[in-house]
């Protein structure tokens, strides 16, 4: 299961059911904004004209901010995105009558949009952690220059390495020269 399609109960997915199965898309109907959640899967919400009032712009923005993507379906005789739908949160608009292939193309574009949004979110989180990592490395560099006790220094190195890498555990090995100048690893700290 790679993709999730959320849609209002008023939308019938029967015309595209086989195509969704072939694309590894799990479809789920929802009844209101409380169920409009982007999870770990790439998630797209298909908003039909009959449900626009149930899903206000604020709920659509929150869904998109959480990593989801929105495809809006047009009403009969509605050639363009209506003013009441915020264009900045709509990944694709499909005017009616729409063919199954046209709808599937819009869904693919929306899944790409959801993937891009997830990547931007990941990059922002990674960028936010950089100053902490640099601070930890600076403190470690200062300790390397000032600390005289090897055991304290090795413990500090291992602790900082675990924090920077978000590891649950770690080990420190020392390279020693053994008999005949052969190098070997010796376990030092865990």
């Amino acid at each position: 299961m790679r993709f999730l399609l959320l849609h209002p109960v008023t939308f019938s997915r029967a015309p595209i059911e086989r195509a969704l199965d072939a694309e590894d898309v799990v479809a789920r109907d929802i009844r209101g904004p409380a169920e409009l959640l982007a999870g770990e899967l790439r998630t797209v919400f298909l908003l039909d004209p009959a449900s626009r009032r149930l899903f206000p712009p604020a709920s659509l923005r929150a869904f998109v901010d959480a990593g989801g993507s929105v495809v809006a379906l047009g009403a009969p005789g509605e050639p363009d995105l209506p003013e009441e739908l915020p264009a900045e949160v709509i990944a694709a608009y499909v005017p009616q009558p729409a063919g199954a292939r046209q709808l599937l193309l819009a869904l693919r574009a929306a899944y790409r949009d959801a993937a891009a949004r997830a990547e931007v979110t990941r990059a922002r989180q990674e960028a936010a952690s950089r100053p902490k990592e640099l601070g930890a490395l600076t403190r470690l560099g200062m300790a390397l220059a000032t600390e005289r006790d090897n055991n304290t220094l090795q413990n500090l190195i291992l602790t900082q390495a675990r924090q920077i890498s978000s590891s649950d555990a770690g080990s420190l090995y020392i390279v020693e020269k053994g008999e005949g100048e052969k190098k070997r690893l010796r376990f030092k700290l865990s």
Side-chain angles (χ1 to χ4, degrees), residues 23-190:
E23 297 284 334
D24 204 14
V25 176
V26 174
R28 189 173 69 212
D29 57 330
I30 61 174
R31 291 177 173 18
E35 298 176 66
L36 186 58
L37 302 171
E40 292 181 20
L41 299 176
R42 292 184 190 166
T43 307
V44 169
F45 176 55
L46 187 62
L47 179 63
D48 65 354
S51 301
R52 288 180 189 165
R53 291 182 189 213
L54 288 175
F55 297 93
S59 66
L60 297 176
R61 279 188 186 91
F63 175 69
V64 168
D65 289 345
S69 194
V70 179
V71 172
L73 296 178
E78 186 177 69
D80 201 359
L81 185 67
E83 291 292 325
E84 69 266 11
L85 290 177
E88 69 275 5
V89 300
I90 305 296
Y93 175 75
V94 182
Q96 294 300 320
R101 289 183 63 203
Q102 185 179 14
L103 183 55
L104 289 171
L105 286 173
L107 290 174
R108 283 187 188 134
Y111 282 116
R112 285 191 297 273
D113 179 66
R117 288 179 189 277
E119 182 59 26
V120 166
T121 300
R122 186 202 59 76
R124 283 184 181 150
Q125 290 170 344
E126 189 176 300
S129 70
R130 292 288 183 237
K132 288 190 270 183
E133 291 175 3
L134 289 174
L137 290 172
T138 301
R139 287 189 299 280
L140 189 55
M142 290 172 33
L144 285 170
T146 59
E147 183 61 55
R148 300 291 178 227
D149 181 21
N150 279 344
N151 289 332
T152 301
L153 186 58
Q154 291 166 356
N155 192 21
L156 180 63
I157 290 170
L158 182 59
T159 300
Q160 291 297 323
R162 284 185 45 234
Q163 287 177 353
I164 289 171
S165 64
S166 300
S167 299
D168 293 334
S171 299
L172 187 65
Y173 293 85
I174 303 295
V175 177
E176 292 182 334
K177 288 187 180 181
E179 299 172 18
E181 298 294 317
K182 276 187 141 181
K183 291 181 182 179
R184 65 184 178 125
L185 286 178
R186 182 174 60 90
F187 172 79
K188 179 67 177 174
L189 188 61
S190 176

